[in-house]
Amino acid sequence: MIALDNGFQEVVGIVAEAEAAGRRLALALGYDVVYSGELAPSLPAPFLGPSDEDKVERGCEVLIAHPDIRRGAIRLLSYAGEPAALMRDGAQPWDTGGIFDINIRALDDIETLHQALGRAGHRAFAPITNWQFGALSVREVVENDADGLCIALMQRVSPPLQGYDGVGGNASWVFNSTQVVTDFAQARALFVDHLGWVPVQETEGFAGNAGGINCMGLPLSLAEQIPMRIGIYQAQGRMEGSVEIVSFGCTGHDFSQSRPPMRGWAALRFPVSDIDGFAKAMVAGGCEIVESGRVEWAPYGSAELVAAVTPWGARLEGLRLG
């Protein structure tokens, strides 16, 4: 299902071996392999990897998605030869730059889903945490793998989760993605003032609950003292295909200059009806247009693409099929 002007359709990751990584994640999450094939020659340039034509032909992409909801999918790309370095190599969750994670709901049991991701090669920054997120009470764990694919699992405690009737399995589709930024006001202005998106939720507080408990791996003795600001935005004001920005009141490393084809979460893809308007809004918000033109968006068909990189190094792509 392609949802126009209603959040991202998929998140793109670059990994060492797309087929192997896709199988592992699909098994852990209960997803289907929707598409698998060689990299299309018309892919955006940064995703073609090495310039040698033979290597490009041997590269591959794998698309996995929830069997009941085809949006919120995960696309993995890999290339022949030695894998590239990580985009957020050595990064901690509070370090800025690029796309930090994707969010998936544990619909029944977060422990079981966490263990399944552990078998797939993920390792958590902190134990599963009971977390007060504004008005929401959740259980959350944030974990990363050797390719830099960071995934946050969340299980709603209260109020009761709504909107997932008919969605089977233990893992939801990817409903949100987080970017850690230095300048919160600048990032918020891009989404709200220029793109015209609606705030889903905005909170301010500290990085740790009572006793410093947190899911980001911050020291318990410090987390209660570190300010944290969170905003979630989406074109229709829904937490589905939404973008979350987080800023911490502490200084970390900055990975805003890291780019594909380095490994990790590389892009969010937004189907849009007005691609020229998308491009103009991104430029007005301080982003750089790094690519435009027609691409093959397998398995959906040919699409017009505009790719923009935010001042904090996140690649957001607008696509229009047909």
Side-chain angles (χ1 to χ4, degrees), residues 76-231:
L76 302 177
L77 313 179
S78 65
Y79 316 109
E82 289 295 318
L86 300 180
M87 276 186 279
R88 286 175 54 92
D89 191 9
Q92 299 297 327
W94 54 88
D95 290 327
T96 57
I99 297 172
F100 168 52
D101 74 7
I102 62 171
N103 298 170
I104 295 173
R105 297 192 188 279
L107 298 177
D108 297 319
D109 178 15
I110 193 170
E111 285 90 353
T112 299
L113 192 53
H114 168 56
Q115 291 168 11
L117 279 180
R119 291 191 293 271
H122 280 71
R123 182 178 181 275
F125 291 102
I128 295 173
T129 302
N130 294 319
W131 184 251
Q132 194 66 35
F133 186 60
L136 304 178
S137 178
V138 301
R139 304 190 72 206
E140 183 173 359
V141 63
V142 182
E143 36 204 305
N144 206 3
D145 74 353
D147 284 312
L149 300 185
C150 188
I151 298 176
L153 300 177
M154 298 181 182
Q155 183 171 8
R156 178 72 65 82
V157 176
S158 66
L161 184 64
Q162 296 180 345
Y164 285 82
D165 295 339
V167 179
N170 191 16
S172 77
W173 41 286
V174 180
F175 71 94
N176 186 57
S177 179
T178 306
Q179 301 163 23
V180 183
V181 302
T182 302
D183 189 333
F184 188 94
Q186 176 192 49
R188 186 187 190 278
L190 169 64
F191 297 120
V192 176
D193 299 337
H194 298 290
L195 283 168
W197 292 3
V198 180
V200 181
Q201 183 176 358
E202 295 183 315
T203 61
E204 291 188 57
F206 293 91
N209 286 171
I213 299 298
N214 70 95
C215 60
M216 296 293 203
L218 286 157
L220 302 184
S221 60
L222 298 178
E224 278 188 293
Q225 307 166 37
I226 298 174
M228 181 174 67
R229 190 175 180 187
I230 298 173

Side-chain angles (χ1 to χ4, degrees), residues 1-4 6 9 68-72 173 240 271 300:
M1 178 179 67
I2 302 292
L4 284 175
N6 191 26
Q9 170 72 21
D68 298 323
I69 301 289
R70 290 309 194 198
R71 69 171 301 183
W173 41 286
E240 44 185 75
Y300 308 115

Side-chain angles (χ1 to χ4, degrees), residues 271-291:
V272 296
S273 56
D274 181 4
I275 199 160
D276 293 332
F278 174 83
K280 290 176 182 177
M282 296 299 283
V283 171
C287 302
E288 177 188 4
I289 302 297
V290 294
E291 194 148 11

